[in-house]
mmCIF file of all heavy atoms in Angstrom:
data_model
loop_
_atom_site.group_PDB
_atom_site.id
_atom_site.type_symbol
_atom_site.label_atom_id
_atom_site.label_comp_id
_atom_site.label_asym_id
_atom_site.label_seq_id
_atom_site.Cartn_x
_atom_site.Cartn_y
_atom_site.Cartn_z
ATOM 1 N N GLY A 5 -11.653 4.481 -7.668
ATOM 2 C CA GLY A 5 -12.655 3.858 -8.643
ATOM 3 C C GLY A 5 -13.095 2.507 -8.142
ATOM 4 O O GLY A 5 -13.549 1.656 -9.012
ATOM 5 N N ASN A 6 -13.000 2.247 -6.854
ATOM 6 C CA ASN A 6 -13.589 0.967 -6.195
ATOM 7 C C ASN A 6 -13.862 1.202 -4.766
ATOM 8 O O ASN A 6 -13.484 2.217 -4.248
ATOM 9 C CB ASN A 6 -12.650 -0.198 -6.539
ATOM 10 C CG ASN A 6 -11.198 0.036 -5.961
ATOM 11 O OD1 ASN A 6 -11.088 0.236 -4.714
ATOM 12 N ND2 ASN A 6 -10.177 0.132 -6.754
ATOM 13 N N ASP A 7 -14.427 0.163 -4.175
ATOM 14 C CA ASP A 7 -14.760 0.214 -2.749
ATOM 15 C C ASP A 7 -13.796 -0.649 -1.928
ATOM 16 O O ASP A 7 -14.207 -1.120 -0.835
ATOM 17 C CB ASP A 7 -16.206 -0.242 -2.490
ATOM 18 C CG ASP A 7 -17.226 0.688 -3.113
ATOM 19 O OD1 ASP A 7 -16.973 2.039 -2.995
ATOM 20 O OD2 ASP A 7 -18.223 0.370 -3.658
ATOM 21 N N ASN A 8 -12.672 -0.920 -2.462
ATOM 22 C CA ASN A 8 -11.733 -1.810 -1.760
ATOM 23 C C ASN A 8 -11.231 -1.095 -0.526
ATOM 24 O O ASN A 8 -11.217 0.177 -0.413
ATOM 25 C CB ASN A 8 -10.503 -2.104 -2.641
ATOM 26 C CG ASN A 8 -10.881 -3.059 -3.805
ATOM 27 O OD1 ASN A 8 -11.878 -3.716 -3.755
ATOM 28 N ND2 ASN A 8 -10.020 -3.056 -4.810
ATOM 29 N N PRO A 9 -10.717 -1.840 0.522
ATOM 30 C CA PRO A 9 -10.233 -1.281 1.752
ATOM 31 C C PRO A 9 -9.063 -0.361 1.499
ATOM 32 O O PRO A 9 -8.246 -0.585 0.630
ATOM 33 C CB PRO A 9 -9.812 -2.506 2.511
ATOM 34 C CG PRO A 9 -10.539 -3.712 2.027
ATOM 35 C CD PRO A 9 -10.760 -3.334 0.581
ATOM 36 N N VAL A 10 -9.021 0.722 2.268
ATOM 37 C CA VAL A 10 -7.906 1.754 2.188
ATOM 38 C C VAL A 10 -6.927 1.471 3.285
ATOM 39 O O VAL A 10 -7.267 1.381 4.485
ATOM 40 C CB VAL A 10 -8.510 3.079 2.300
ATOM 41 C CG1 VAL A 10 -7.396 4.168 2.335
ATOM 42 C CG2 VAL A 10 -9.416 3.408 1.094
ATOM 43 N N VAL A 11 -5.656 1.332 2.896
ATOM 44 C CA VAL A 11 -4.566 1.139 3.847
ATOM 45 C C VAL A 11 -3.569 2.282 3.694
ATOM 46 O O VAL A 11 -3.154 2.666 2.616
ATOM 47 C CB VAL A 11 -3.896 -0.187 3.514
ATOM 48 C CG1 VAL A 11 -2.768 -0.480 4.527
ATOM 49 C CG2 VAL A 11 -4.883 -1.343 3.486
ATOM 50 N N LEU A 12 -3.086 2.775 4.878
ATOM 51 C CA LEU A 12 -2.153 3.911 4.847
ATOM 52 C C LEU A 12 -0.812 3.434 5.319
ATOM 53 O O LEU A 12 -0.699 2.566 6.143
ATOM 54 C CB LEU A 12 -2.615 5.038 5.837
ATOM 55 C CG LEU A 12 -4.015 5.602 5.680
ATOM 56 C CD1 LEU A 12 -4.230 6.715 6.649
ATOM 57 C CD2 LEU A 12 -4.343 5.971 4.241
ATOM 58 N N GLU A 13 0.245 4.035 4.799
ATOM 59 C CA GLU A 13 1.591 3.902 5.341
ATOM 60 C C GLU A 13 2.050 5.295 5.734
ATOM 61 O O GLU A 13 2.138 6.198 4.855
ATOM 62 C CB GLU A 13 2.649 3.305 4.430
ATOM 63 C CG GLU A 13 3.960 3.123 5.122
ATOM 64 C CD GLU A 13 5.112 2.779 4.240
ATOM 65 O OE1 GLU A 13 4.956 2.738 3.015
ATOM 66 O OE2 GLU A 13 6.288 2.584 4.729
ATOM 67 N N LEU A 14 2.225 5.496 6.958
ATOM 68 C CA LEU A 14 2.646 6.833 7.558
ATOM 69 C C LEU A 14 4.083 6.980 7.631
ATOM 70 O O LEU A 14 4.816 6.114 8.187
ATOM 71 C CB LEU A 14 2.019 7.035 8.894
ATOM 72 C CG LEU A 14 0.472 6.809 8.998
ATOM 73 C CD1 LEU A 14 0.015 7.051 10.345
ATOM 74 C CD2 LEU A 14 -0.289 7.739 7.976
ATOM 75 N N GLY A 15 4.686 8.077 7.066
ATOM 76 C CA GLY A 15 6.069 8.288 7.034
ATOM 77 C C GLY A 15 6.646 7.260 6.043
ATOM 78 O O GLY A 15 7.591 6.519 6.415
ATOM 79 N N CYS A 16 6.154 7.218 4.866
ATOM 80 C CA CYS A 16 6.428 6.142 3.937
ATOM 81 C C CYS A 16 7.816 6.234 3.304
ATOM 82 O O CYS A 16 8.199 5.309 2.600
ATOM 83 C CB CYS A 16 5.348 6.170 2.794
ATOM 84 S SG CYS A 16 5.369 7.615 1.758
ATOM 85 N N GLY A 17 8.588 7.270 3.447
ATOM 86 C CA GLY A 17 9.904 7.413 2.864
ATOM 87 C C GLY A 17 9.874 7.291 1.458
ATOM 88 O O GLY A 17 9.184 8.024 0.737
ATOM 89 N N LYS A 18 10.661 6.298 0.906
ATOM 90 C CA LYS A 18 10.769 6.122 -0.568
ATOM 91 C C LYS A 18 9.531 5.427 -1.141
ATOM 92 O O LYS A 18 9.500 5.211 -2.337
ATOM 93 C CB LYS A 18 12.019 5.391 -0.885
ATOM 94 C CG LYS A 18 13.314 6.110 -0.492
ATOM 95 C CD LYS A 18 14.624 5.311 -0.867
ATOM 96 C CE LYS A 18 15.833 6.021 -0.626
ATOM 97 N NZ LYS A 18 17.011 5.221 -1.031
ATOM 98 N N GLY A 19 8.691 5.006 -0.244
ATOM 99 C CA GLY A 19 7.414 4.352 -0.797
ATOM 100 C C GLY A 19 7.544 2.892 -1.103
ATOM 101 O O GLY A 19 6.711 2.261 -1.692
ATOM 102 N N GLU A 20 8.745 2.312 -0.666
ATOM 103 C CA GLU A 20 8.921 0.879 -0.959
ATOM 104 C C GLU A 20 7.907 -0.061 -0.382
ATOM 105 O O GLU A 20 7.474 -1.013 -1.048
ATOM 106 C CB GLU A 20 10.362 0.488 -0.496
ATOM 107 C CG GLU A 20 11.475 1.228 -1.181
ATOM 108 C CD GLU A 20 12.711 1.245 -0.175
ATOM 109 O OE1 GLU A 20 12.661 1.936 0.829
ATOM 110 O OE2 GLU A 20 13.766 0.601 -0.581
ATOM 111 N N TYR A 21 7.554 0.236 0.913
ATOM 112 C CA TYR A 21 6.557 -0.681 1.579
ATOM 113 C C TYR A 21 5.167 -0.410 0.968
ATOM 114 O O TYR A 21 4.413 -1.403 0.760
ATOM 115 C CB TYR A 21 6.586 -0.358 3.069
ATOM 116 C CG TYR A 21 6.587 -1.596 3.926
ATOM 117 C CD1 TYR A 21 7.762 -2.225 4.250
ATOM 118 C CD2 TYR A 21 5.407 -2.261 4.265
ATOM 119 C CE1 TYR A 21 7.749 -3.421 4.942
ATOM 120 C CE2 TYR A 21 5.298 -3.413 5.001
ATOM 121 C CZ TYR A 21 6.587 -4.017 5.377
ATOM 122 O OH TYR A 21 6.533 -5.195 6.051
ATOM 123 N N THR A 22 4.832 0.788 0.698
ATOM 124 C CA THR A 22 3.501 1.091 0.059
ATOM 125 C C THR A 22 3.430 0.318 -1.256
ATOM 126 O O THR A 22 2.392 -0.346 -1.446
ATOM 127 C CB THR A 22 3.352 2.582 -0.148
ATOM 128 O OG1 THR A 22 3.422 3.272 1.103
ATOM 129 C CG2 THR A 22 1.930 2.858 -0.797
ATOM 130 N N VAL A 23 4.380 0.347 -2.009
ATOM 131 C CA VAL A 23 4.339 -0.311 -3.361
ATOM 132 C C VAL A 23 4.364 -1.843 -3.240
ATOM 133 O O VAL A 23 3.641 -2.522 -3.895
ATOM 134 C CB VAL A 23 5.489 0.190 -4.232
ATOM 135 C CG1 VAL A 23 5.536 -0.653 -5.530
ATOM 136 C CG2 VAL A 23 5.329 1.654 -4.633
ATOM 137 N N GLY A 24 5.219 -2.279 -2.235
ATOM 138 C CA GLY A 24 5.293 -3.735 -2.047
ATOM 139 C C GLY A 24 4.009 -4.340 -1.508
ATOM 140 O O GLY A 24 3.499 -5.327 -2.026
ATOM 141 N N LEU A 25 3.315 -3.654 -0.680
ATOM 142 C CA LEU A 25 2.039 -4.123 -0.191
ATOM 143 C C LEU A 25 0.955 -4.042 -1.211
ATOM 144 O O LEU A 25 0.162 -5.014 -1.376
ATOM 145 C CB LEU A 25 1.573 -3.164 1.022
ATOM 146 C CG LEU A 25 2.231 -3.366 2.380
ATOM 147 C CD1 LEU A 25 1.890 -2.270 3.303
ATOM 148 C CD2 LEU A 25 1.983 -4.713 2.989
ATOM 149 N N ALA A 26 0.996 -2.977 -2.065
ATOM 150 C CA ALA A 26 0.022 -2.865 -3.120
ATOM 151 C C ALA A 26 0.149 -4.039 -4.158
ATOM 152 O O ALA A 26 -0.709 -4.620 -4.674
ATOM 153 C CB ALA A 26 0.186 -1.543 -3.880
ATOM 154 N N GLN A 27 1.464 -4.435 -4.499
ATOM 155 C CA GLN A 27 1.687 -5.546 -5.348
ATOM 156 C C GLN A 27 1.118 -6.867 -4.852
ATOM 157 O O GLN A 27 0.649 -7.667 -5.529
ATOM 158 C CB GLN A 27 3.171 -5.613 -5.702
ATOM 159 C CG GLN A 27 3.676 -4.491 -6.547
ATOM 160 C CD GLN A 27 5.190 -4.603 -6.784
ATOM 161 O OE1 GLN A 27 5.967 -4.728 -5.797
ATOM 162 N NE2 GLN A 27 5.631 -4.530 -8.006
ATOM 163 N N LYS A 28 1.341 -7.071 -3.506
ATOM 164 C CA LYS A 28 0.917 -8.283 -2.871
ATOM 165 C C LYS A 28 -0.574 -8.317 -2.642
ATOM 166 O O LYS A 28 -1.195 -9.509 -2.478
ATOM 167 C CB LYS A 28 1.630 -8.385 -1.562
ATOM 168 C CG LYS A 28 3.100 -8.812 -1.689
ATOM 169 C CD LYS A 28 3.842 -8.820 -0.351
ATOM 170 C CE LYS A 28 3.146 -9.714 0.680
ATOM 171 N NZ LYS A 28 3.189 -11.163 0.236
ATOM 172 N N ASN A 29 -1.165 -7.205 -2.567
ATOM 173 C CA ASN A 29 -2.614 -7.115 -2.181
ATOM 174 C C ASN A 29 -3.453 -6.271 -3.168
ATOM 175 O O ASN A 29 -3.886 -5.164 -2.881
ATOM 176 C CB ASN A 29 -2.761 -6.574 -0.747
ATOM 177 C CG ASN A 29 -2.003 -7.363 0.291
ATOM 178 O OD1 ASN A 29 -2.545 -8.304 0.737
ATOM 179 N ND2 ASN A 29 -0.812 -6.919 0.621
ATOM 180 N N PRO A 30 -3.649 -6.701 -4.324
ATOM 181 C CA PRO A 30 -4.359 -5.955 -5.401
ATOM 182 C C PRO A 30 -5.807 -5.661 -5.043
ATOM 183 O O PRO A 30 -6.450 -4.846 -5.660
ATOM 184 C CB PRO A 30 -4.292 -6.790 -6.656
ATOM 185 C CG PRO A 30 -4.084 -8.238 -6.148
ATOM 186 C CD PRO A 30 -3.235 -8.073 -4.883
#
């Protein structure tokens, strides 16, 4: 629902890094 940059985490495991990055970079 927006045009913000898309960032991938490959082999994300439990998703801790994905969620952490998302919190820091809304």
Side-chain angles (χ1 to χ4, degrees):
N6 59 61
D7 292 321
N8 292 340
V10 173
V11 183
L12 310 183
E13 184 192 3
L14 306 181
C16 66
K18 294 182 179 181
E20 299 154 291
Y21 224 89
T22 299
V23 172
L25 288 170
Q27 289 175 310
K28 287 174 56 65
N29 301 277

